[in-house]
Amino acid sequence: MPPNPMFKKRLNHSHHNRTHPLVWLAAIICTVFAIAAIIAGIAAFIGYIVIHPRIPTVSVSSAHLNLLRNNLAGIFQTQVSIVVRAQNGNGRAHASFSDMLFKLSYQEQAIAFLRSDPFKVEKNSSRYLNYVVESSSIPLTPQQMAEMTNSWQRNLIGFDLKGSARTQWRLGRLGSVKFWCHLECTLKFHPLNGSYIPSRCTTESK
Ligand SMILES: *[C@@H]1O[C@H](CO)[C@@H](O)[C@H](O)[C@H]1NC(C)=O
Ligand SMILES: *[C@@H]1O[C@H](CO)[C@@H](O)[C@H](O)[C@H]1NC(C)=O
């Protein structure tokens, strides 16, 4: 009677499977590393939740529509003042801001870019950046013109502000934390007197 092939296979298998002590060692080391990684992840997560409210933020603190002009040919001119506030709510460390770039647009038509050189904000304080941006003559499409007419009639116009900045701050002796913060909001104005309608425009997380 020929030997049962299944049985033979199992025998071979168990023979090859005798675990070498080095394999055990590697498995133990891997497990220790995996546990350490999980603990570090949990600690970072808890740390993030605890420090979260103190993360530096960038927001629009005020604005004014200085000029808004459009003619029948659809040529559009505007000038807007925007005060951007960089805030460091952290009481123990200064924060650095860099790579700040925001795009101001109207109906997807870029008007201007707001940039800044890198700067620092002391502990628990803010820095205000004043921008006066203007567009030279921008031609509008018929659809954008219709929207503009509508804005005048409703005495309400919105400009989109979108962009990001990089902030960095020291976390005690643990080193520094670096991250991008993103800003995306609509600045609303009354075109008739240029006043800004305050709304939430900040990089603060929800
Ligand atoms: C931060 O400043 C606010 C007022 O601007 C003050 O009430 C608060 O005590 C300060 N916190 C620290 C940690 O300095
Ligand atoms: C501008 O006009 C709006 C709407 O007519 C009004 O609510 C607002 O108070 C005015 N602002 C100023 C500074 O006159």
Side-chain angles (χ1 to χ4, degrees):
M1 199 175 118
N4 182 339
M6 272 302 282
F7 181 66
K8 198 175 170 208
K9 205 170 169 193
R10 202 174 295 156
L11 265 183
N12 280 344
H13 186 70
S14 76
H15 174 75
H16 281 294
N17 214 21
R18 201 179 296 149
T19 311
H20 193 281
L22 272 182
V23 175
W24 278 113
L25 189 65
I28 290 168
I29 289 173
C30 282
T31 309
V32 168
F33 272 109
I35 291 172
I38 290 171
I39 291 173
I42 292 172
F45 181 68
I46 292 172
Y48 178 77
I49 287 180
V50 170
I51 63 173
H52 192 63
R54 297 198 192 141
I55 282 175
T57 59
V58 177
S59 56
V60 170
S61 74
S62 66
H64 193 261
L65 181 62
N66 305 331
L67 171 78
L68 182 68
R69 195 184 284 157
N70 64 300
N71 66 15
L72 289 175
I75 301 295
F76 154 72
Q77 250 183 307
T78 189
Q79 189 193 71
V80 189
S81 297
I82 300 174
V83 182
V84 172
R85 179 187 191 193
Q87 185 177 15
N88 176 18
N90 199 309
R92 292 202 196 95
H94 73 249
S96 332
F97 291 78
S98 59
D99 301 287
M100 191 183 281
L101 179 64
F102 300 117
K103 181 169 100 172
L104 185 73
S105 54
Y106 174 71
Q107 298 287 311
E108 289 170 12
Q109 173 81 61
I111 292 173
F113 289 92
L114 285 64
R115 294 175 213 273
S116 166
D117 287 335
F119 60 90
K120 281 183 184 168
V121 177
E122 289 308 311
K123 302 168 188 174
N124 196 28
S125 65
S126 292
R127 180 171 169 151
Y128 293 88
L129 308 165
N130 293 288
Y131 293 93
V132 178
V133 297
E134 51 192 358
S135 70
S136 43
S137 310
I138 293 178
L140 296 180
T141 64
Q143 200 196 336
Q144 288 168 331
M145 266 182 78
E147 188 57 42
M148 181 67 77
T149 306
N150 195 0
S151 291
W152 281 110
Q153 281 164 357
R154 287 181 302 153
N155 191 19
L156 180 69
I157 190 166
F159 291 92
D160 298 312
L161 188 64
K162 187 176 177 181
S164 54
R166 209 145 76 116
T167 75
Q168 186 178 359
W169 50 298
R170 289 195 67 79
L171 197 67
R173 292 207 182 91
L174 293 175
S176 61
V177 188
K178 229 187 227 184
F179 50 89
W180 284 97
C181 44
H182 299 274
L183 184 77
E184 184 167 8
C185 58
T186 303
L187 304 179
K188 295 193 186 102
F189 300 92
H190 292 300
L192 292 180
N193 61 10
S195 67
Y196 173 59
I197 304 165
S199 66
R200 189 178 161 78
C201 185
T202 172
T203 59
E204 237 163 341
S205 316
K206 306 98 223 165

